[in-house]
Amino acid sequence: MSQKNLASTPSEVLQIIKHLKCVHGDTLTIHLIRVRQQNSLTLFTSSIPVSLSNIIFQKVPRNQNNPKGINRALVSKKLNDIEASAGDNDYSLPNSVVGSIVSNRVWGMELDYNKNDKLGFLHIKLSELEKRVQAAELDKNGNFVAPEEFMLGYLIDSHHRLLGLYKADRPDYELPTSIYLDINDIKMHQIFSTINENQSKTSRVHNLYSKYLGNTLLPQEKNCVFVLEDLNNQEESILYKRIKLFDDVPKDSILKKYKKTAEHSESDIKPYVNSNIIQKLIIDNVFEAVPYAKLETDDLVKLINNYFHAFAEVFPEAWADSKTHVLVKSMGFQITMKVFKDIYNKVHIKNAEVIDIPTKLQFKVVIQALLRPNPKEFLDLDVYSNGIITTTIPLNWSSLKFGSYSNGKGINSLTSSIKQLISNNSSNL
């Protein structure tokens, strides 16, 4: 294991030890519960405060200077998100810290357990750790040269959690902790990869509704959930049953309804877009043009419904055929929503008055004039955002043409081109 110093600064470590000594005295005792998994490993579970975990488990991120490190390199956004969330008194984080201690570092701890017993104790010698920190060798930047001289083991998982909570000034916040005894570098890497490879992130669709049901959404986010539910559940909505609100496949009456007619197939009723995607698009674009607090939910639903109805009538082939067109796929929704404000403002200009809820016809007239004054309208794409037109494609939402630009940069390029088209064709209004 590389001994590259990645511990806290000496002053921070001494401050933590001083705090722990004030609370616990010279020795801090941790209760251990033996977890029997396999005979070749000794594993305990416990509860350890953030402050202690940050000074007994050495953090060894993998980077260019330390290619064999265990932990992921720190991501500032993740740290900041944890720090911000931890300020809430109701904040709870049940995820386990995972670390390993080295039993021969008896100068800093005493491990008291019997292999035949379920319970044990880990006695941390805080005064001895303090002496070792004070005597530790520092490099020219004032950092520890060999933090293992006072640390008791290594961190395997939860790098961001520990430092995020530390930044949030939650030193006494306790986290469930899994502690291995005397495992080598190879085994630590195996455990890390097992934790993270077999742990899939919760779908964003599910997470959005968990936040809604848990009452942790911001007002505009919560308002948008109401809008999505109405758009998806009202039969007069053009997005009826087309927004993915659940992870499972729906088996409701709409499936039977469409199966009865020859022009519809089972694939025709698949959701167009995930709720988390369109929620963000509405907040970033619709609420930017029409502040969410200005209109009631019913009015916002009508506004968005009229907008998409207009697109469906201006581009009927693309809207009706999701197999060979992108208009009713995530890509199409991203582009059409990102130009919402441009079109909404043009509707005001066209009608020479302030209209909070343009009708479908008012939207349609403007979209027709700006995006399809003739059926063979083309888009000039600056794919590399360097001011140079690299290609031209027809504005027909064909998967064959548009599909090549489905990544973030491509979608931004298409959006910029459509915005330019709106500007160029403004004289048509």
Side-chain angles (χ1 to χ4, degrees):
M1 179 66 62
S2 167
Q3 303 307 324
K4 172 76 175 175
N5 169 38
L6 289 162
S8 304
T9 65
S11 61
E12 288 175 332
V13 173
L14 289 172
Q15 186 176 10
I16 290 172
I17 293 175
K18 181 179 179 180
H19 170 76
L20 290 171
K21 287 180 69 177
C22 287
V23 177
H24 303 281
D26 289 338
T27 302
L28 189 162
T29 297
I30 301 296
H31 291 74
L32 303 174
I33 299 176
R34 177 75 185 275
V35 180
R36 302 189 188 281
Q37 292 190 337
Q38 55 173 301
N39 293 333
S40 61
L41 293 176
T42 301
L43 173 63
F44 303 101
T45 186
S46 186
S47 171
I48 299 183
V50 166
S51 54
L52 182 63
S53 293
N54 270 310
I55 65 167
I56 64 171
F57 294 129
Q58 183 181 345
K59 305 169 191 70
V60 193
R62 181 178 182 272
N63 53 36
Q64 293 184 19
N65 296 322
N66 188 33
K68 293 186 178 181
I70 303 168
N71 316 124
R72 283 172 284 196
L74 288 174
V75 177
S76 296
K77 184 180 184 307
K78 290 183 70 174
L79 281 179
N80 294 338
D81 288 346
I82 293 171
E83 179 183 7
S85 299
D88 186 343
N89 289 331
D90 292 331
Y91 179 73
S92 178
L93 189 61
N95 307 61
S96 180
V97 173
V98 183
S100 169
I101 59 173
V102 183
S103 62
N104 65 7
R105 297 182 182 178
V106 293
W107 39 261
M109 67 178 182
E110 180 183 343
L111 184 59
D112 178 13
Y113 90 102
N114 187 305
K115 291 184 178 181
N116 297 320
D117 294 335
K118 192 73 173 177
L119 301 179
F121 302 93
L122 178 63
H123 306 288
I124 309 294
K125 303 174 184 178
L126 295 174
S127 293
E128 184 60 33
L129 297 187
E130 185 177 41
K131 292 177 185 176
R132 285 178 167 262
V133 171
Q134 292 169 338
E137 182 183 357
L138 306 179
D139 62 18
K140 62 181 180 181
N141 296 316
N143 296 318
F144 296 111
V145 172
E148 70 279 5
E149 290 183 355
F150 68 89
M151 290 190 136
L152 304 180
Y154 300 96
L155 184 68
I156 298 174
D157 196 47
S158 74
H159 194 183
H160 287 87
R161 268 169 276 157
L162 286 179
L163 290 185
L165 286 163
Y166 180 76
K167 284 185 65 182
D169 195 24
R170 301 296 297 271
D172 298 321
Y173 191 96
E174 293 189 355
L175 289 171
T177 307
S178 297
I179 306 172
Y180 286 93
L181 181 64
D182 293 326
I183 57 175
N184 59 28
D185 299 2
I186 294 174
K187 180 57 69 173
M188 282 191 274
H189 279 290
Q190 290 175 355
I191 291 169
F192 177 88
S193 61
T194 298
I195 293 170
N196 292 282
E197 188 173 46
N198 295 334
Q199 186 181 62
S200 59
K201 291 187 71 173
T202 304
S203 78
R204 293 185 178 181
V205 169
H206 184 81
N207 199 44
L208 169 63
Y209 274 83
S210 283
K211 291 170 73 175
Y212 163 59
L213 295 170
N215 200 31
T216 61
L217 291 178
L218 296 173
Q220 64 176 5
E221 295 173 329
K222 189 173 183 178
N223 185 278
C224 195
V225 169
F226 299 149
V227 172
L228 294 180
E229 289 183 335
D230 285 353
L231 284 169
N232 190 68
N233 297 331
Q234 295 177 2
E235 290 196 30
E236 61 272 21
S237 168
I238 196 170
L239 298 180
Y240 178 53
K241 300 298 183 183
R242 297 294 194 164
I243 300 173
K244 187 175 182 181
L245 302 179
F246 303 93
D247 290 329
D248 62 338
V249 178
K251 296 180 180 179
D252 55 17
S253 59
I254 190 171
L255 178 59
K256 297 174 183 177
K257 172 184 172 183
Y258 280 151
K259 277 188 172 180
K260 291 178 182 178
T261 59
E263 67 268 22
H264 290 97
S265 66
E266 185 172 345
S267 62
D268 288 330
I269 65 163
K270 290 181 179 178
Y272 290 147
V273 64
N274 289 347
S275 56
N276 65 291
I277 293 175
I278 195 167
Q279 185 221 30
K280 187 175 190 312
L281 290 169
I282 290 172
I283 290 172
D284 290 348
N285 300 284
V286 178
F287 289 175
E288 177 70 21
V290 186
Y292 77 96
K294 186 176 183 180
L295 298 177
E296 298 293 333
T297 299
D298 289 348
D299 292 331
L300 285 167
V301 170
K302 187 182 297 184
L303 170 68
I304 296 167
N305 192 38
N306 288 347
Y307 182 69
F308 285 122
H309 260 296
F311 262 97
E313 293 191 8
V314 174
F315 300 95
E317 182 181 355
W319 191 273
D321 180 13
S322 62
K323 293 181 179 178
T324 60
H325 295 82
V326 303
L327 183 56
V328 289
K329 294 181 179 178
S330 174
M331 178 183 186
F333 280 96
Q334 290 183 62
I335 296 170
T336 54
M337 292 299 277
K338 287 179 179 180
V339 299
F340 174 87
K341 186 175 181 180
D342 303 78
I343 293 173
Y344 183 81
N345 289 339
K346 295 299 183 185
V347 170
H348 286 175
I349 294 172
K350 170 70 176 175
N351 293 275
E353 58 181 299
V354 175
I355 306 170
D356 287 336
I357 311 171
T359 65
K360 176 184 69 175
L361 180 59
Q362 288 171 328
F363 271 130
K364 179 181 177 180
V365 168
V366 169
I367 293 171
Q368 181 75 51
L370 297 176
L371 301 186
R372 209 171 194 188
N374 68 77
K376 295 184 178 180
E377 192 68 55
F378 282 79
L379 295 176
D380 296 323
L381 298 187
D382 174 11
V383 177
Y384 302 105
S385 303
N386 58 6
I388 300 173
I389 303 303
T390 56
T391 188
T392 299
I393 65 173
L395 180 51
N396 59 8
W397 307 96
S398 165
S399 298
L400 186 64
K401 296 293 185 180
F402 276 65
S404 302
Y405 306 98
S406 59
N407 59 19
K409 182 178 288 187
I411 289 174
N412 288 338
S413 179
L414 287 163
T415 301
S416 296
S417 181
I418 290 178
K419 284 177 176 283
Q420 185 60 52
L421 192 65
I422 289 172
S423 177
N424 294 344
N425 289 335
S426 292
S427 59
N428 294 336
L429 296 177

